[in-house]
Amino acid sequence: MLIPILDVCRKRKRTPKCFDFHIFGDPGSPIAFTSPFRDNIRIFVNECAELEDYEIAGMPIWCTLLTTTSNVVLPLYTVEESVHSSQNPFCDQCRCTGWGNNLVSKRKYHIIIPVRSSWNRQLEEGSLDLESHLLHGLIHCNGFGHLLCINGIEGGGSKLLSGREIMDLWDRICGSLRARSVSVEDVCKKRSMDLRLLYGVAYGHSWFGRWGYRFSRGSFGVTEQSYNRALEALASLRLDPILADFDTKGQGEELRRMVRHYRDLCRTRLTNLGELLRFMLDLKSCRCGSKKEAIPNGVNSTPSSRVLIRNPSPLTRKAQNRCRKFSSVIATMDSRWSAKRMEFAAGVIVEALKVGKSLNGEGMSRQQVRDAARMHVGDTGLLDYVLKSMNNVAIGNSVIRRAVNPRTRTLEYSIADLGQEGSSSAAERKFQEQSGLLPGIDLYGDISYLYKNVLLNYPDSELVDTATLTVLDSKHFVKEWPLNDRCDQLLRLLCRVDAIDAGEQRKPDISEVVVLPPDATMVELKQAVEEALRDSYAMLENVEVIEVKDMEDVDDDQSLAGEMESGSEIVVRVAVAGGNEVMSRCGSSGDGEYEGGAENWRVKCECGARDDDGERMVACDVCEVWQHTRCVGIDDSEKAPPLFVCSGCCVALGGEDGGGRMEMIDFGTSVDDMLMMGGGGFEYGGYLLC
């Protein structure tokens, strides 16, 4: 079945446009966008997408077709959600990112690539809530957006596209359409490892940092300064003291073997944990054929951060490759020889290698093995075919490998006993039997070993535990696109609203980008700002610009040339006339006008948090102040108590010492009754409240 839009285009007798996935969003591809995001997104859906013949919950849908290098066509959907018809006009992501004081935008655009199994189906009613999409991003019409999910090959969402390729596309789309700021909540994992911790220690930033996403705010009161200090503390852990600390716990031999293995591979001395993890991750990129991407964008290419690999010896190569059964190898091969004949030829080659090893103790060249085997197998084509497939294969109790001899620079075959290969001592054999870990065989397995043992379970180190928890509590990252002058003679300005004549206690954060011709006048600037604000915010449909701050003396018909430079920021004073029917449905109070929603939470947690950070919280039933459940001793696996009184209220009720009697309160007891009872502690249904 075809992608639905193809059938729509056939009915409309139109040829759909297809764009190259890997360059889509590059400058000038598909077109050059010069306006603010609110205008660019309209141009995009009109010029680069086809309108679908269906809607979901009254929201129009456009489809853009992208082609990959393997000639696979995939759909990129753009869904416009209007505040007038939205079931939830507020934005949870804005609240948790710290943008809760932004005014509710009139429109937000969902950019979606669904999972491959859904490419030939229409988007369904609940598509905007799914977390299985290959890509799902949301951008408000004011240019503030959120990356909601990415699922590539690593996440099981796609067999064609990696997470890095999908992220590259998203970054190009945001840059091309002139998004202003985009946030992401980094909860990415690989093999149960939190990538924000792994990449933070290795590169000094999260996985999203290669695209310019930087620390925005931390949970549980974590600041940017404490986050950076935690990363520095973990990355600078010296390897030799780490080995000494693990020796005292009986784990030093395993860790020492791993560190020695990767130190032998690296041409520069690996001295700390950050350098070791960075080298291992870069080595993984090189093995995947991405040498040019071994150093993430934005990371300084210092000698210690480059992938400098020594020419490994045959013994080192043994540890880097996992052997396979020869019978399994030939089962997947399309050969004109039967499996029985190939196994016979392989057995002859094994015997020849054993004889060669007993005579000179070294490997044999391909020609030597071929000549020795021809005495028993006359079909040289069969021998060549089998020799070609013999690398890291197990035949009986032997393992056959091939490698370039660094001394003679010729390809040699070697043989080793399967039970003894790579184990030069009883301690090594015991280690392999107990942990199944041989350094170099599984790079991500080695990285996971370091992650779990050094970062998560460092023996008796409060410093490492605290630093690790600080990094894990930092999930919110933001990328900002500055207002650059793109040398096209247009006047680009960031217009920030100074105040709104609405008498609100909660001060809104309002700013919009306007683009004007270079000879624009002051009155044209005011009109452009008014149009931008009215187009972006439901609350400001009747806004009027009174004046531009610090430019009160400039006449309305005076040209702005020479008065301000492109890329600068100005402050405007505005007033809002009349009421607004749209916002009356968003909330009964002025708080309904904000992305953070109508509830103005009071957050004051002992960790230092003063705003909602997206973590689980509980409110005191006396003072109604919210605190993290983790900070008040409620485990994540526990349900929040039906009644909760914070420690401050317990002290206030029970006196200075906060001590005193404990009362068992019936399930029907109200908060007012508790206040009447007083006392320094309350227990409700068996749950100690303070």
Side-chain angles (χ1 to χ4, degrees), residues 347-362 364 395-400 414-417:
V348 171
I349 292 172
V350 167
E351 294 303 320
L353 288 171
K354 286 181 178 179
V355 172
K357 183 178 180 180
S358 64
L359 294 177
N360 53 35
E362 297 181 355
M364 299 174 64
I395 303 175
N397 294 323
S398 302
V399 177
I400 313 299
S414 60
I415 189 169
D417 292 339

Side-chain angles (χ1 to χ4, degrees), residues 367-603:
Q367 189 61 45
Q368 289 174 331
V369 176
R370 189 172 184 266
D371 291 342
R374 281 191 63 187
M375 299 175 61
H376 304 279
V377 179
D379 191 340
T380 55
L382 172 61
L383 288 176
D384 290 338
Y385 189 80
V386 173
L387 283 170
K388 183 179 179 180
S389 62
M390 295 186 75
N391 184 29
N392 311 323
V393 296
I395 303 175
N397 294 323
S398 302
V399 177
I400 313 299
R401 302 192 188 276
R402 65 169 183 256
V404 176
N405 188 316
R407 181 171 52 83
T408 62
R409 297 186 178 180
T410 59
L411 187 67
E412 291 187 352
Y413 287 82
S414 60
I415 189 169
D417 292 339
L418 184 61
Q420 298 178 354
E421 190 202 31
S423 301
S424 56
S425 67
E428 291 176 344
R429 286 195 298 272
K430 181 180 179 181
F431 166 53
Q432 293 176 38
E433 291 171 358
Q434 292 179 347
S435 64
L437 180 65
L438 184 65
I441 288 181
D442 181 3
L443 246 177
Y444 265 117
D446 295 347
I447 294 171
S448 179
Y449 180 84
L450 290 173
Y451 177 91
K452 293 177 181 178
N453 289 277
V454 179
L455 292 177
L456 299 188
N457 297 290
Y458 199 101
D460 303 326
S461 176
E462 184 178 353
L463 171 64
V464 176
D465 292 343
T466 302
T468 297
L469 185 61
T470 298
V471 177
L472 290 176
D473 285 341
S474 304
K475 304 175 185 176
H476 298 283
F477 300 87
V478 169
K479 178 175 181 177
E480 296 181 353
W481 283 264
L483 186 64
N484 293 325
D485 184 358
R486 304 180 65 150
C487 302
D488 53 8
Q489 305 303 315
L490 295 176
L491 184 62
R492 288 183 172 81
L493 301 172
L494 178 63
C495 305
R496 192 171 297 279
V497 175
D498 183 35
I500 293 181
D501 186 13
E504 299 292 342
Q505 294 181 354
R506 187 176 176 183
K507 187 176 180 180
D509 185 7
I510 310 171
S511 61
E512 278 298 318
V513 176
V514 296
V515 180
L516 299 168
D519 57 349
T521 62
M522 176 58 71
V523 68
E524 290 175 330
L525 170 61
K526 291 180 179 179
Q527 290 173 352
V529 175
E530 287 180 0
E531 291 174 1
L533 295 175
R534 292 171 181 175
D535 185 35
S536 297
Y537 305 106
M539 173 189 174
L540 304 181
E541 289 183 337
N542 299 316
V543 70
E544 294 180 1
V545 176
I546 301 173
E547 61 185 8
V548 178
K549 191 176 181 180
D550 299 329
M551 297 186 69
E552 293 87 351
D553 297 334
V554 179
D555 295 333
D556 283 348
D557 58 352
Q558 183 175 337
S559 175
L560 298 177
E563 297 292 340
M564 56 184 65
E565 296 182 356
S566 181
S568 60
E569 179 179 327
I570 64 173
V571 178
V572 298
R573 294 189 176 98
V574 303
V576 180
N580 194 296
E581 295 181 358
V582 174
M583 296 319 302
S584 65
R585 69 180 295 277
C586 296
S588 57
S589 67
D591 288 333
E593 300 162 357
Y594 297 92
E595 292 286 9
E599 278 192 281
N600 191 8
W601 291 8
R602 293 174 56 209
V603 178

Side-chain angles (χ1 to χ4, degrees), residues 44 84 94 193 248 273 339 511 639:
F44 172 75
H84 297 274
C94 280
M193 295 182 288
T248 62
L273 181 62
S511 61
K639 291 183 179 180

Side-chain angles (χ1 to χ4, degrees), residues 131-137 147-155 157 162-171 184 188 207-208:
E131 298 180 355
S132 58
H133 297 307
L134 302 190
L135 168 66
H136 185 185
L147 176 59
L148 301 182
C149 73
I150 285 273
N151 289 294
I153 295 174
E154 301 88 346
S162 67
R164 184 171 297 180
E165 289 175 310
I166 299 173
M167 190 64 200
D168 284 339
L169 173 68
W170 168 249
D171 192 58
V184 62
C188 295
W207 182 77
F208 294 97

Side-chain angles (χ1 to χ4, degrees), residues 317-342:
R317 287 184 182 273
K318 289 180 183 180
Q320 293 179 356
N321 298 282
R322 189 187 300 274
C323 64
R324 301 163 296 168
K325 290 184 178 181
F326 183 71
S327 58
S328 301
V329 173
I330 62 177
T332 62
M333 298 168 62
D334 185 14
S335 171
R336 62 188 177 91
W337 292 282
S338 65
K340 185 176 181 180
R341 289 196 63 190
M342 287 191 287

